[in-house]
Amino acid sequence: MLASDRPGFGPRAGKWFSERLGLKNLSYPIPEHANSLGYMLGGITLIGFIILAITGIYLAQFYQPHPNEAHRSIVYIITGAPLGDIVRSIHYWTVQIVMVTVILHMIRVVFSGAYKRPRELNWYVGLALLALTFGFIFTGTVLKYDQEGLEALQHYKGAVDLLGVFGTWFSEGFSRSLPLLTRLYTAHVTILPLAFVLLVLVHLHLIKVHGISPQVVPGATTRATAGEGTSRFTDHAWRLAGFGLLLLGLTIAISLLFPAPIGKAGIPGPEMTKPWWMFVWIVPAEEIWGIRALLIVPGVLGLFLALLPIIDRTPYLGFNNRKLLLGTASLVLAIIIVSGVVATLQPVAAHLK
Amino acid sequence: MKSRSLIAILVFVALVLGYSGVALAHGEPVITLVDKTVKAGGHMMITGSKMHPGAVYSITLESMEGSTHLGRAKAGKNGGVSARVVLPAQVAPGSHRVRIAAKGGKPVLLNLNVTPEITNKRVEQSRTISDVAVQVGRKKTAAQEGGTKSKAMLMPKMPSADLLRLKRTKSPVVIGGAVLLMLSSLTFGMVLVRMRGFSEAKGRS
């Protein structure tokens, strides 16, 4: 063999890794529509979570999860810790973007009927991941321990009290040795991530088993698509990596222009703040039912979403065949949006006794 | 084959050197704080042994708010030291670290808990520190106090939805690095998103 015939270092390294990691097996066929943005929202969300995990690990080196120190340590992260402000801002803005992609992903799944047979179980795994995402955001809000964080914690305590004996594990009185804030921090950095990783693995496995849901065209019916398609998963993964880099670039840009805010240290008293936009739509219900709304509204909405694969059992994916269900889903979505707008515009009201 | 052997030898040497660089505990100074909890404005005792005789140690308070030089201590001929240093009254209550280091030596870091300068025991018993914001006022003079001792000034603060206005200065290196990472992420991201049929093109070539 002539020296000039020998491939360069890059191709040789690629071949070395491909042979040992079995990367060729990733080049399985997938439908072309899987590469459209609407069908990549779940993957983009996953990359967002990877960014959150990396930035979160960094922030954990400086954060002090004790009520007396938490807010002070956040101020230190912003003003003193190396790269603290920019990393915290990336963490903050990635949360906002990830929440948008999660919501859009779920809307896409509902409207394209991707919860139908044989993907019902993956729909429930997705709902559990949605619940965990809200859990991450809620605990993360409390960790700031500014006025907003403290009021979120007070709402949490009120909701846990309503759960009675079922809320024992989550209650402040369950542990005398650790403050509730420290336990919520543990949930944020260990319990929730562990559950999240396990569920994501199941989610990805089931997508691999059933394939991506068929494209919604007139007359389309639900079926497994594994092994079908003209595109390759490796192409999909490269494109996803591209969207991930765009997400990272976008969050850095926003972080530089608008650093993540922090309120003044939380002080118990009359409510002064409103929750983040992903929770604020519950506030009008709180005006009616008080703190019970924190259990009633997510419970009813969760039940509606859980019942979708049971109610909508026809194989048809087209909008014309699912008018009633999609109309109801649209109505629910509209109510949430209107509630959110109303809650944002109205003055802060106390819901805690 | 030769190159692989060379790499293996280099890795082995690096591991041996890395291991030998680990500092062992034998013969290191043993420095302790007599009290782990000290009031702001109060004093703390530092004792040490197995220190380098005659070495001057710098004592610094490391806080989230910054570093404060507290003083120096000189080790005796027997390698022992005992120093009494005063904490500034304005040190924030909470966790801090005391850094003790000789010039060019490996520093020793000790955890210190600082409590508010003056406390009112009765109020402390009924309210935890998270329930009330403790605003420690300046000590009044004896004349102002009417000859009595200074007392704690506990003023509950009101909740506020206001955001903190902090000094968020970033070095040009940090801003430059962030901009570089942002631009490279956006550029490569755009390239990858627009690139279609990567594996097919690769297969054809």
Side-chain angles (χ1 to χ4, degrees), chain A residues 142-206:
Chain A
V142 172
L143 295 188
K144 295 187 298 171
Y145 225 59
D146 56 359
Q147 194 58 37
E148 190 181 58
L150 188 73
E151 287 177 13
L153 186 64
Q154 289 172 324
H155 279 75
Y156 168 88
K157 287 179 188 174
V160 167
D161 284 347
L162 291 175
L163 286 173
V165 69
F166 298 106
T168 306
W169 171 273
F170 305 98
S171 68
E172 194 168 25
F174 181 70
S175 169
R176 289 186 179 187
S177 54
L178 275 185
L180 191 53
L181 175 74
T182 313
R183 288 172 56 212
L184 288 175
Y185 172 74
T186 309
H188 190 77
V189 300
T190 60
I191 301 168
L192 292 174
L194 181 66
F196 187 84
V197 168
L198 291 173
L199 285 174
V200 161
L201 289 175
V202 175
H203 205 56
L204 295 176
H205 170 71
L206 291 176

Side-chain angles (χ1 to χ4, degrees), chain B residues 20 22 24 42 48 65 72 75-76 96 98 101 104 107 121 123 152 154 156 172 175-176 187 194:
Chain B
S20 62
V22 175
L24 299 173
E65 292 77 15
R72 294 178 194 282
H96 299 259
V98 178
K121 284 180 183 175
V123 176
L154 289 162
I175 294 172
T187 307
R194 293 176 72 91

Side-chain angles (χ1 to χ4, degrees), chain A residues 27 32 35 64 67-69 71-73 75-76 78-79 83 85-86 88-89 147 230-232 234-235 238-239 241-243 245-246 248-250 252-253 256 259-264 267-270 272-273, chain B residues 4 63-65 92-96 113 129-133 157-168 170 174-175 178-179 181-182 184-190 192-200:
Chain A
S27 189
E32 183 58 39
N35 293 320
Q64 172 66 277
N68 293 351
E69 306 269 351
H71 186 267
R72 187 171 156 240
S73 68
V75 172
Y76 169 67
I78 296 169
T79 58
L83 301 174
D85 193 23
I86 185 85
R88 179 173 175 268
S89 296
Q147 194 58 37
T230 55
S231 185
R232 299 270 158 189
T234 40
D235 294 338
W238 279 113
R239 194 166 156 78
F243 277 118
L245 286 172
L246 288 179
L248 178 65
L250 182 66
I252 295 172
L256 285 171
I262 177 81
K264 290 182 177 172
I267 298 167
M272 301 300 291
T273 66
Chain B
R4 283 188 185 180
S63 311
M64 291 186 223
E65 292 77 15
S95 300
H96 299 259
N113 185 38
I129 199 160
S130 60
D131 289 337
V132 65
K157 289 180 181 174
M158 286 304 291
S160 165
D162 294 343
L163 296 177
L164 266 185
R165 289 184 179 179
L166 298 167
K167 199 177 175 187
R168 294 171 182 256
K170 295 180 188 71
V174 170
I175 294 172
V179 170
L181 185 61
M182 176 194 76
S184 52
S185 297
L186 292 174
T187 307
F188 286 115
M190 194 56 79
L192 287 174
V193 166
R194 293 176 72 91
M195 189 169 67
R196 305 301 294 266
F198 176 80
S199 58
E200 287 171 17

Side-chain angles (χ1 to χ4, degrees), chain A residues 322-335:
Chain A
R322 303 161 60 220
K323 281 177 186 168
L324 182 63
L325 188 124
L326 293 184
T328 310
S330 302
L331 184 66
V332 170
L333 189 62
I335 291 170

Side-chain angles (χ1 to χ4, degrees), chain B residues 61-198:
Chain B
L61 184 75
E62 290 190 337
S63 311
M64 291 186 223
E65 292 77 15
S67 297
T68 310
H69 181 69
L70 298 178
R72 294 178 194 282
K74 190 176 180 180
K77 287 178 183 174
N78 60 350
V81 73
S82 179
R84 184 175 184 268
V85 291
V86 178
L87 276 183
Q90 66 272 20
V91 170
S95 300
H96 299 259
R97 284 198 305 192
V98 178
R99 186 178 193 273
I100 301 159
K103 196 176 180 182
K106 191 179 168 187
V108 173
L109 295 165
L110 303 167
N111 291 319
L112 175 73
N113 185 38
V114 176
T115 56
E117 184 186 10
I118 307 158
T119 56
N120 183 324
K121 284 180 183 175
R122 278 188 302 179
V123 176
E124 264 197 337
Q125 283 166 0
S126 60
R127 296 177 180 181
T128 62
I129 199 160
S130 60
D131 289 337
V132 65
V134 181
Q135 186 177 333
V136 181
R138 286 185 178 177
K139 284 180 183 174
K140 291 179 180 178
T141 61
Q144 285 172 317
E145 287 285 326
T148 59
K149 288 181 181 178
S150 60
K151 292 178 180 175
M153 197 169 77
L154 289 162
M155 294 175 64
K157 289 180 181 174
M158 286 304 291
S160 165
D162 294 343
L163 296 177
L164 266 185
R165 289 184 179 179
L166 298 167
K167 199 177 175 187
R168 294 171 182 256
T169 48
K170 295 180 188 71
S171 73
V173 176
V174 170
I175 294 172
V179 170
L180 194 67
L181 185 61
M182 176 194 76
L183 291 175
S184 52
S185 297
L186 292 174
T187 307
F188 286 115
M190 194 56 79
V191 168
L192 287 174
V193 166
R194 293 176 72 91
M195 189 169 67
R196 305 301 294 266
F198 176 80

